[in-house]
Amino acid sequence: MKILVTGISGFLGSELLRHMGDDGNQYYCLVRRKSLPKLMAKISGHKNITPVIGDLTTQSLLELEGLSVDPVSLRNELDGILHAGALYNLESTREDSYIQNVVGTQN
């Protein structure tokens, strides 16, 4: 199966990552560019995990292995989405929380 995972660099995502060993599935992990080095260190040795540079708050082009990929095309190849991305900082503004949690989920 091909599965897109959001929120992989966060608290919940880190726990999910521990269970995403070489189980026969291919995981595409949505990660912001600034969080990519952190994710790369965590997935070293896992050939079934591919980082996808992007952001939940936009529907812009994503980069998959250095290539621009239309999110709709990527979605058509997926068997599922595991959505764990969220903003859970209690000091965040209502607007930031809305954009990350509501708009991000819609995207």
Side-chain angles (χ1 to χ4, degrees), residues 3-5 8-9 17 20 26-33 35-44 46-54 62-67 69 74:
I3 302 167
L4 177 70
V5 182
I8 200 67
S9 61
L17 191 56
M20 293 167 46
Q26 178 62 43
Y27 296 100
Y28 297 94
C29 296
L30 185 67
V31 61
R32 289 172 293 211
R33 185 174 304 283
S35 299
L36 183 60
K38 179 179 166 184
L39 178 63
M40 294 304 290
K42 290 180 179 182
I43 65 171
S44 123
H46 292 284
K47 296 181 183 189
N48 65 326
I49 300 175
T50 303
V52 177
I53 307 293
L62 304 174
E63 293 176 30
L64 175 61
E65 297 179 309
L67 302 173
V69 175
L74 179 60

Coordinates of all heavy atoms in Angstrom, one line a residue, residues 3-5 8-9 17 20 26-33 35-44 46-54 62-67 69 74:
I3 N 0.9 5.1 1.3 CA 0.2 5.8 2.4 C 0.9 7.2 2.6 O 2.1 7.2 2.8 CB 0.1 5.1 3.7 CG1 -0.5 3.7 3.5 CG2 -0.6 5.9 4.8 CD1 -0.4 2.8 4.6
L4 N 0.1 8.3 2.5 CA 0.6 9.6 2.8 C 0.4 9.8 4.3 O -0.7 9.6 4.8 CB -0.1 10.7 2.0 CG 0.3 12.1 2.3 CD1 1.7 12.4 1.8 CD2 -0.7 13.1 1.7
V5 N 1.5 10.3 5.0 CA 1.4 10.5 6.4 C 1.7 12.0 6.7 O 2.7 12.5 6.2 CB 2.4 9.7 7.2 CG1 2.3 9.9 8.7 CG2 2.2 8.2 6.9
I8 N 4.4 14.0 10.6 CA 5.4 13.0 10.9 C 6.5 13.6 11.8 O 7.2 12.9 12.6 CB 6.0 12.3 9.7 CG1 6.6 11.0 10.0 CG2 6.9 13.2 8.9 CD1 5.7 9.9 10.5
S9 N 6.7 14.9 11.7 CA 7.8 15.5 12.5 C 7.3 16.0 13.9 O 8.1 16.5 14.7 CB 8.4 16.7 11.7 OG 7.5 17.7 11.5
L17 N 6.1 7.0 13.5 CA 7.3 6.6 12.8 C 8.0 5.3 13.3 O 8.5 4.5 12.6 CB 8.3 7.8 12.8 CG 9.5 7.7 11.9 CD1 9.1 7.5 10.5 CD2 10.3 9.0 12.1
M20 N 6.5 2.3 11.6 CA 6.5 2.3 10.2 C 7.7 1.6 9.6 O 8.3 2.0 8.7 CB 6.4 3.7 9.6 CG 5.1 4.4 9.9 SD 5.0 6.1 9.6 CE 5.8 6.4 8.1
Q26 N 4.6 1.5 1.4 CA 5.4 2.7 1.0 C 4.7 3.9 1.7 O 3.6 4.1 1.5 CB 5.4 2.8 -0.5 CG 6.2 4.0 -0.9 CD 7.7 3.9 -0.5 OE1 8.3 2.9 -0.7 NE2 8.2 5.0 -0.1
Y27 N 5.5 4.6 2.5 CA 5.0 5.8 3.2 C 5.6 7.0 2.6 O 6.8 7.1 2.4 CB 5.4 5.7 4.7 CG 4.8 4.6 5.4 CD1 5.5 3.4 5.7 CD2 3.5 4.6 5.9 CE1 4.9 2.4 6.3 CE2 2.9 3.6 6.5 CZ 3.6 2.4 6.8 OH 3.1 1.4 7.4
Y28 N 4.7 8.0 2.3 CA 5.1 9.3 1.8 C 4.8 10.3 2.9 O 3.6 10.5 3.3 CB 4.3 9.7 0.5 CG 4.6 8.8 -0.6 CD1 3.8 7.7 -0.9 CD2 5.8 9.0 -1.4 CE1 4.1 6.8 -1.9 CE2 6.1 8.1 -2.5 CZ 5.3 7.1 -2.7 OH 5.6 6.2 -3.7
C29 N 5.8 10.9 3.5 CA 5.6 11.7 4.7 C 5.7 13.2 4.4 O 6.8 13.6 4.0 CB 6.7 11.3 5.8 SG 6.6 9.6 6.3
L30 N 4.6 13.8 4.5 CA 4.6 15.3 4.3 C 5.3 16.0 5.4 O 5.1 15.8 6.6 CB 3.1 15.8 4.3 CG 2.9 17.2 3.9 CD1 3.3 17.5 2.4 CD2 1.5 17.6 4.1
V31 N 6.3 16.8 5.0 CA 7.2 17.5 5.9 C 7.5 18.9 5.4 O 7.7 19.0 4.2 CB 8.4 16.7 6.2 CG1 9.3 16.4 5.0 CG2 9.2 17.3 7.4
R32 N 7.5 19.9 6.3 CA 8.0 21.2 5.9 C 9.5 21.2 5.6 O 10.2 20.4 6.3 CB 7.6 22.2 6.9 CG 6.1 22.5 7.1 CD 5.9 23.4 8.2 NE 6.2 22.6 9.4 CZ 5.6 22.7 10.6 NH1 4.7 23.6 10.8 NH2 5.9 21.9 11.6
R33 N 9.9 22.0 4.7 CA 11.3 22.0 4.3 C 12.2 22.2 5.5 O 13.2 21.5 5.7 CB 11.6 23.1 3.3 CG 13.0 23.1 2.8 CD 13.2 24.1 1.7 NE 12.3 24.0 0.5 CZ 12.5 23.0 -0.4 NH1 13.4 22.1 -0.3 NH2 11.6 23.0 -1.4
S35 N 11.8 21.2 8.5 CA 11.8 20.0 9.3 C 12.5 18.8 8.6 O 12.6 17.7 9.2 CB 10.4 19.6 9.8 OG 9.9 20.7 10.5
L36 N 12.9 19.0 7.4 CA 13.4 17.8 6.6 C 14.6 17.2 7.2 O 14.7 16.0 7.3 CB 13.6 18.2 5.2 CG 14.1 17.1 4.2 CD1 13.1 16.0 4.1 CD2 14.4 17.7 2.8
P37 N 15.6 18.0 7.7 CA 16.8 17.4 8.3 C 16.5 16.5 9.5 O 17.1 15.4 9.6 CB 17.7 18.6 8.7 CG 17.3 19.7 7.8 CD 15.8 19.5 7.5
K38 N 15.6 16.9 10.3 CA 15.2 16.2 11.5 C 14.5 14.8 11.0 O 14.8 13.8 11.6 CB 14.1 17.0 12.3 CG 13.6 16.4 13.5 CD 12.6 17.4 14.1 CE 11.8 16.8 15.2 NZ 10.8 17.7 15.8
L39 N 13.7 14.9 10.0 CA 13.1 13.7 9.5 C 14.1 12.7 8.9 O 14.0 11.5 9.1 CB 11.9 14.0 8.5 CG 11.3 12.8 7.9 CD1 10.5 11.9 9.0 CD2 10.3 13.2 6.8
M40 N 15.0 13.3 8.1 CA 16.0 12.4 7.4 C 16.8 11.7 8.4 O 17.1 10.5 8.2 CB 16.9 13.3 6.5 CG 16.1 13.9 5.4 SD 15.3 12.8 4.3 CE 16.7 11.9 3.5
A41 N 17.1 12.3 9.6 CA 17.9 11.6 10.6 C 17.1 10.4 11.2 O 17.6 9.4 11.5 CB 18.3 12.6 11.7
K42 N 15.8 10.6 11.3 CA 14.9 9.6 11.9 C 14.7 8.4 11.0 O 14.4 7.3 11.4 CB 13.6 10.2 12.3 CG 13.7 11.1 13.5 CD 12.3 11.7 13.9 CE 12.4 12.6 15.1 NZ 11.0 13.1 15.4
I43 N 14.7 8.7 9.7 CA 14.3 7.6 8.7 C 15.5 6.9 8.1 O 15.3 6.1 7.2 CB 13.3 8.1 7.6 CG1 14.0 9.1 6.7 CG2 12.0 8.7 8.3 CD1 13.1 9.5 5.5
S44 N 16.7 7.3 8.5 CA 17.8 6.7 7.9 C 17.7 5.2 8.0 O 17.4 4.6 9.1 CB 19.1 7.2 8.6 OG 19.9 6.3 9.1
H46 N 15.5 3.3 6.4 CA 14.1 2.9 6.0 C 13.9 3.2 4.5 O 13.7 4.4 4.2 CB 13.0 3.6 6.8 CG 13.0 3.2 8.3 ND1 12.5 2.0 8.7 CD2 13.5 3.8 9.4 CE1 12.6 1.9 10.0 NE2 13.2 3.0 10.4
K47 N 13.9 2.2 3.7 CA 13.8 2.4 2.3 C 12.3 2.6 1.9 O 12.0 3.0 0.7 CB 14.4 1.2 1.5 CG 15.9 1.1 1.7 CD 16.5 0.0 1.0 CE 17.9 0.0 1.4 NZ 18.8 -0.8 0.7
N48 N 11.4 2.4 2.8 CA 10.0 2.5 2.4 C 9.4 3.8 2.9 O 8.2 4.0 2.8 CB 9.2 1.3 3.0 CG 9.2 1.3 4.6 OD1 10.2 1.8 5.2 ND2 8.1 0.9 5.2
I49 N 10.2 4.7 3.3 CA 9.7 6.1 3.7 C 10.3 7.1 2.9 O 11.5 7.3 2.8 CB 10.0 6.3 5.2 CG1 9.4 5.2 6.1 CG2 9.6 7.7 5.6 CD1 9.8 5.3 7.6
T50 N 9.5 7.9 2.2 CA 9.9 9.0 1.3 C 9.4 10.3 1.8 O 8.1 10.4 1.9 CB 9.4 8.7 -0.1 OG1 9.8 7.4 -0.6 CG2 9.8 9.8 -1.1
P51 N 10.2 11.3 2.1 CA 9.8 12.6 2.5 C 9.1 13.3 1.3 O 9.6 13.2 0.1 CB 11.0 13.3 2.9 CG 12.2 12.4 2.7 CD 11.7 11.2 2.1
V52 N 8.1 14.0 1.5 CA 7.4 14.9 0.6 C 7.4 16.3 1.1 O 6.8 16.5 2.2 CB 5.9 14.4 0.3 CG1 5.3 15.3 -0.7 CG2 5.9 13.0 -0.2
I53 N 8.1 17.2 0.5 CA 8.2 18.6 1.0 C 6.8 19.3 0.7 O 6.4 19.3 -0.4 CB 9.3 19.3 0.3 CG1 10.6 18.6 0.4 CG2 9.4 20.8 0.9 CD1 11.2 18.5 1.7
G54 N 6.2 19.8 1.7 CA 5.0 20.5 1.5 C 4.5 21.1 2.9 O 5.2 21.0 3.9
L62 N 3.9 20.1 -4.5 CA 4.7 19.4 -3.6 C 6.0 18.9 -4.3 O 6.0 18.7 -5.5 CB 4.0 18.1 -3.0 CG 2.7 18.4 -2.4 CD1 2.0 17.1 -2.0 CD2 2.8 19.2 -1.1
E63 N 7.0 18.7 -3.6 CA 8.2 18.1 -4.2 C 8.4 16.7 -3.7 O 8.4 16.4 -2.5 CB 9.5 18.9 -3.8 CG 9.5 20.3 -4.4 CD 10.7 21.1 -3.9 OE1 11.7 20.5 -3.6 OE2 10.5 22.3 -3.8
L64 N 8.4 15.8 -4.6 CA 8.6 14.3 -4.3 C 9.9 13.9 -4.9 O 10.0 13.9 -6.2 CB 7.4 13.5 -4.8 CG 7.4 12.0 -4.7 CD1 7.5 11.6 -3.2 CD2 6.2 11.4 -5.3
E65 N 10.8 13.5 -4.1 CA 12.2 13.1 -4.6 C 12.7 14.1 -5.6 O 13.3 13.7 -6.7 CB 12.1 11.7 -5.2 CG 11.7 10.7 -4.2 CD 11.6 9.3 -4.8 OE1 10.9 9.1 -5.8 OE2 12.2 8.4 -4.2
G66 N 12.6 15.4 -5.4 CA 13.2 16.4 -6.2 C 12.3 16.8 -7.4 O 12.7 17.7 -8.2
L67 N 11.2 16.1 -7.6 CA 10.3 16.4 -8.8 C 9.1 17.2 -8.3 O 8.6 16.9 -7.2 CB 9.9 15.1 -9.5 CG 11.1 14.3 -10.0 CD1 10.5 13.0 -10.5 CD2 11.8 15.0 -11.1
V69 N 5.3 17.6 -8.1 CA 4.2 16.7 -8.2 C 2.9 17.4 -7.9 O 2.8 18.1 -6.9 CB 4.4 15.5 -7.3 CG1 3.2 14.5 -7.3 CG2 5.6 14.7 -7.6
L74 N -0.7 12.8 -7.0 CA -0.2 12.0 -5.9 C -1.3 11.3 -5.2 O -1.3 10.1 -4.9 CB 0.6 12.9 -4.9 CG 1.2 12.2 -3.7 CD1 2.1 11.1 -4.1 CD2 1.9 13.2 -2.8

